[in-house]
PDB file of all heavy atoms in Angstrom:
ATOM      1  N   THR I   9     -80.324  58.179   2.737  1.00  0.00           N
ATOM      2  CA  THR I   9     -81.437  58.589   3.594  1.00  0.00           C
ATOM      3  C   THR I   9     -81.888  59.988   3.193  1.00  0.00           C
ATOM      4  O   THR I   9     -81.091  60.822   2.806  1.00  0.00           O
ATOM      5  CB  THR I   9     -81.002  58.625   5.059  1.00  0.00           C
ATOM      6  OG1 THR I   9     -79.818  59.427   5.145  1.00  0.00           O
ATOM      7  CG2 THR I   9     -80.704  57.241   5.579  1.00  0.00           C
ATOM      8  N   THR I  10     -83.187  60.190   3.304  1.00  0.00           N
ATOM      9  CA  THR I  10     -83.726  61.506   2.978  1.00  0.00           C
ATOM     10  C   THR I  10     -83.688  62.378   4.213  1.00  0.00           C
ATOM     11  O   THR I  10     -84.138  61.976   5.272  1.00  0.00           O
ATOM     12  CB  THR I  10     -85.193  61.356   2.544  1.00  0.00           C
ATOM     13  OG1 THR I  10     -85.276  60.248   1.673  1.00  0.00           O
ATOM     14  CG2 THR I  10     -85.682  62.611   1.852  1.00  0.00           C
ATOM     15  N   THR I  11     -83.142  63.528   4.065  1.00  0.00           N
ATOM     16  CA  THR I  11     -83.130  64.465   5.186  1.00  0.00           C
ATOM     17  C   THR I  11     -83.958  65.667   4.786  1.00  0.00           C
ATOM     18  O   THR I  11     -83.739  66.239   3.725  1.00  0.00           O
ATOM     19  CB  THR I  11     -81.691  64.921   5.476  1.00  0.00           C
ATOM     20  OG1 THR I  11     -80.854  63.786   5.531  1.00  0.00           O
ATOM     21  CG2 THR I  11     -81.623  65.659   6.783  1.00  0.00           C
ATOM     22  N   TYR I  12     -84.899  66.029   5.623  1.00  0.00           N
ATOM     23  CA  TYR I  12     -85.726  67.185   5.301  1.00  0.00           C
ATOM     24  C   TYR I  12     -85.148  68.426   5.927  1.00  0.00           C
ATOM     25  O   TYR I  12     -84.729  68.426   7.066  1.00  0.00           O
ATOM     26  CB  TYR I  12     -87.160  66.972   5.791  1.00  0.00           C
ATOM     27  CG  TYR I  12     -87.890  65.979   4.931  1.00  0.00           C
ATOM     28  CD1 TYR I  12     -88.043  64.666   5.340  1.00  0.00           C
ATOM     29  CD2 TYR I  12     -88.391  66.353   3.682  1.00  0.00           C
ATOM     30  CE1 TYR I  12     -88.688  63.758   4.539  1.00  0.00           C
ATOM     31  CE2 TYR I  12     -89.029  65.438   2.879  1.00  0.00           C
ATOM     32  CZ  TYR I  12     -89.183  64.143   3.310  1.00  0.00           C
ATOM     33  OH  TYR I  12     -89.819  63.228   2.513  1.00  0.00           O
ATOM     34  N   SER I  13     -85.136  69.490   5.153  1.00  0.00           N
ATOM     35  CA  SER I  13     -84.614  70.730   5.718  1.00  0.00           C
ATOM     36  C   SER I  13     -85.696  71.363   6.577  1.00  0.00           C
ATOM     37  O   SER I  13     -86.874  71.078   6.439  1.00  0.00           O
ATOM     38  CB  SER I  13     -84.213  71.688   4.611  1.00  0.00           C
ATOM     39  OG  SER I  13     -85.363  72.142   3.954  1.00  0.00           O
ATOM     40  N   HIS I  14     -85.263  72.228   7.450  1.00  0.00           N
ATOM     41  CA  HIS I  14     -86.216  72.874   8.339  1.00  0.00           C
ATOM     42  C   HIS I  14     -87.072  73.901   7.621  1.00  0.00           C
ATOM     43  O   HIS I  14     -88.123  74.293   8.069  1.00  0.00           O
ATOM     44  CB  HIS I  14     -85.471  73.549   9.501  1.00  0.00           C
ATOM     45  CG  HIS I  14     -85.015  72.550  10.510  1.00  0.00           C
ATOM     46  ND1 HIS I  14     -85.663  72.353  11.699  1.00  0.00           N
ATOM     47  CD2 HIS I  14     -84.009  71.661  10.481  1.00  0.00           C
ATOM     48  CE1 HIS I  14     -85.048  71.390  12.364  1.00  0.00           C
ATOM     49  NE2 HIS I  14     -84.042  70.954  11.648  1.00  0.00           N
ATOM     50  N   ASP I  15     -86.550  74.343   6.512  1.00  0.00           N
ATOM     51  CA  ASP I  15     -87.283  75.306   5.711  1.00  0.00           C
ATOM     52  C   ASP I  15     -88.503  74.612   5.122  1.00  0.00           C
ATOM     53  O   ASP I  15     -88.393  73.577   4.471  1.00  0.00           O
ATOM     54  CB  ASP I  15     -86.352  75.781   4.592  1.00  0.00           C
ATOM     55  CG  ASP I  15     -86.976  76.887   3.772  1.00  0.00           C
ATOM     56  OD1 ASP I  15     -88.123  77.246   4.062  1.00  0.00           O
ATOM     57  OD2 ASP I  15     -86.300  77.359   2.863  1.00  0.00           O
ATOM     58  N   SER I  16     -89.664  75.162   5.347  1.00  0.00           N
ATOM     59  CA  SER I  16     -90.853  74.438   4.914  1.00  0.00           C
ATOM     60  C   SER I  16     -91.046  74.464   3.405  1.00  0.00           C
ATOM     61  O   SER I  16     -91.751  73.650   2.853  1.00  0.00           O
ATOM     62  CB  SER I  16     -92.088  75.015   5.601  1.00  0.00           C
ATOM     63  OG  SER I  16     -92.098  76.411   5.377  1.00  0.00           O
ATOM     64  N   ASN I  17     -90.396  75.394   2.745  1.00  0.00           N
ATOM     65  CA  ASN I  17     -90.511  75.364   1.285  1.00  0.00           C
ATOM     66  C   ASN I  17     -89.574  74.310   0.755  1.00  0.00           C
ATOM     67  O   ASN I  17     -88.376  74.481   0.764  1.00  0.00           O
ATOM     68  CB  ASN I  17     -90.106  76.705   0.670  1.00  0.00           C
ATOM     69  CG  ASN I  17     -90.849  77.842   1.322  1.00  0.00           C
ATOM     70  OD1 ASN I  17     -91.999  77.686   1.671  1.00  0.00           O
ATOM     71  ND2 ASN I  17     -90.178  78.954   1.505  1.00  0.00           N
ATOM     72  N   HIS I  18     -90.136  73.248   0.295  1.00  0.00           N
ATOM     73  CA  HIS I  18     -89.266  72.205  -0.211  1.00  0.00           C
ATOM     74  C   HIS I  18     -88.653  72.663  -1.520  1.00  0.00           C
ATOM     75  O   HIS I  18     -89.317  73.248  -2.361  1.00  0.00           O
ATOM     76  CB  HIS I  18     -90.080  70.920  -0.417  1.00  0.00           C
ATOM     77  CG  HIS I  18     -90.368  70.261   0.882  1.00  0.00           C
ATOM     78  ND1 HIS I  18     -90.529  68.906   1.007  1.00  0.00           N
ATOM     79  CD2 HIS I  18     -90.494  70.756   2.121  1.00  0.00           C
ATOM     80  CE1 HIS I  18     -90.770  68.613   2.275  1.00  0.00           C
ATOM     81  NE2 HIS I  18     -90.762  69.726   2.965  1.00  0.00           N
ATOM     82  N   VAL I  19     -87.432  72.387  -1.631  1.00  0.00           N
ATOM     83  CA  VAL I  19     -86.691  72.884  -2.777  1.00  0.00           C
ATOM     84  C   VAL I  19     -86.321  71.715  -3.654  1.00  0.00           C
ATOM     85  O   VAL I  19     -85.879  70.685  -3.178  1.00  0.00           O
ATOM     86  CB  VAL I  19     -85.424  73.608  -2.262  1.00  0.00           C
ATOM     87  CG1 VAL I  19     -84.367  73.664  -3.294  1.00  0.00           C
ATOM     88  CG2 VAL I  19     -85.787  74.983  -1.773  1.00  0.00           C
ATOM     89  N   LYS I  20     -86.501  71.876  -4.935  1.00  0.00           N
ATOM     90  CA  LYS I  20     -86.121  70.792  -5.818  1.00  0.00           C
ATOM     91  C   LYS I  20     -84.673  70.998  -6.215  1.00  0.00           C
ATOM     92  O   LYS I  20     -84.326  71.951  -6.910  1.00  0.00           O
ATOM     93  CB  LYS I  20     -87.035  70.816  -7.047  1.00  0.00           C
ATOM     94  CG  LYS I  20     -86.767  69.667  -7.975  1.00  0.00           C
ATOM     95  CD  LYS I  20     -87.835  69.553  -9.040  1.00  0.00           C
ATOM     96  CE  LYS I  20     -87.404  68.493 -10.027  1.00  0.00           C
ATOM     97  NZ  LYS I  20     -88.368  68.311 -11.069  1.00  0.00           N
TER      98      LYS I  20
END
Side-chain angles (χ1 to χ4, degrees):
Chain I
T9 52
T10 316
T11 312
Y12 287 100
S13 69
H14 284 258
D15 185 358
S16 53
N17 308 324
H18 285 209
V19 157
K20 184 169 173 180

